[in-house]
Amino acid sequence: GDSVTQMEGPVTLSEEAFLTINCTYTATGYPSLFWYVQYPGEGLQLLLKATKADDKGSNKGFEATYRKETTSFHLEKGSVQVSDSAVYFCALKYGSQGNLIFGKGTKLSVKP
Amino acid sequence: EPEVTQTPSHQVTQMGQEVILRCVPISNHLYFYWYRQILGQKVEFLVSFYNNEISEKSEIFDDQFSVERPDGSNFTLKIRSTKLEDSAMYFCASSWESGSEQYFGPGTRLTVT
């Protein structure tokens, strides 16, 4: 079945470091891909998305490119801040269907 | 900004007891969802709900689970007879349309002892 695999955390970085969180997927069709973020004590929030191959989603300095050839959707940010400390979830969904398929989440801690 | 709320934030119950987890979705949303995350595992879809009936459910959502929208604002998940393996974080979500962005609540941590 369809699935999402994320790199294991936790990831600890110093402020202004470069961030990559790897995400790969297995899918029978052509899903949309998402990154959600969960800050402490809050719900999952949509960070960015891409709906077709080669699309790049971006938001708040984060980027991810939908790579069909490598079935990947890696999250990157050039310079992380302490406020980026959170859990990041990669997910996929088909078209008008309701349910999201998530990875395990990767906890990011950014130290000053 | 409108948000999804969930109560309680943490529920502890004994095995075999019934629990009801409560969610207040965003007021003009029409689609409602429950997901769960067992510690260290993936966030898993449980059920979606539209027009007062279940529209999709996963294999996890067996006869022990039920959902209800008892009034115009609440959306509840009931587990009839809890098992140890039901211990997890339960997330509620809502969306305007089936394919539109889902807005998540902060989760209820259920601990079954």
Side-chain angles (χ1 to χ4, degrees), chain A residues 26-83:
Chain A
T26 303
T28 50
Y30 302 97
S32 296
L33 302 174
F34 304 82
W35 277 100
Y36 280 80
V37 58
Q38 185 181 29
Y39 299 103
E42 299 183 18
L44 283 75
Q45 302 171 25
L46 179 63
L47 179 60
L48 54 85
K49 68 179 183 182
T51 57
K52 62 183 188 298
D54 300 326
D55 268 4
K56 179 186 282 188
S58 61
N59 186 24
K60 299 181 182 179
F62 291 89
E63 291 183 341
T65 301
Y66 191 138
R67 301 277 187 212
K68 188 177 158 200
E69 62 276 11
T70 54
T71 61
S72 64
F73 193 55
H74 304 322
L75 182 68
E76 296 182 336
K77 186 174 186 183
S79 175
V80 294
Q81 305 300 311
V82 172
S83 56

Side-chain angles (χ1 to χ4, degrees), chain B residues 4-7 20-26 30-35 47-50 52-54 61 66-78 91-94:
Chain B
V4 176
T5 59
Q6 290 185 244
T7 54
I20 297 176
L21 308 183
R22 301 180 192 280
C23 169
V24 179
I26 293 172
L30 302 177
Y31 291 80
F32 314 108
Y33 312 86
W34 283 102
Y35 293 81
V47 66
S48 60
F49 190 85
Y50 169 71
N52 279 322
E53 59 184 32
I54 291 172
F61 194 87
S66 62
V67 288
E68 192 178 29
R69 189 149 161 83
D71 52 43
S73 59
N74 289 284
F75 179 51
T76 61
L77 174 70
K78 182 193 290 186
F91 294 104
C92 172
S94 69

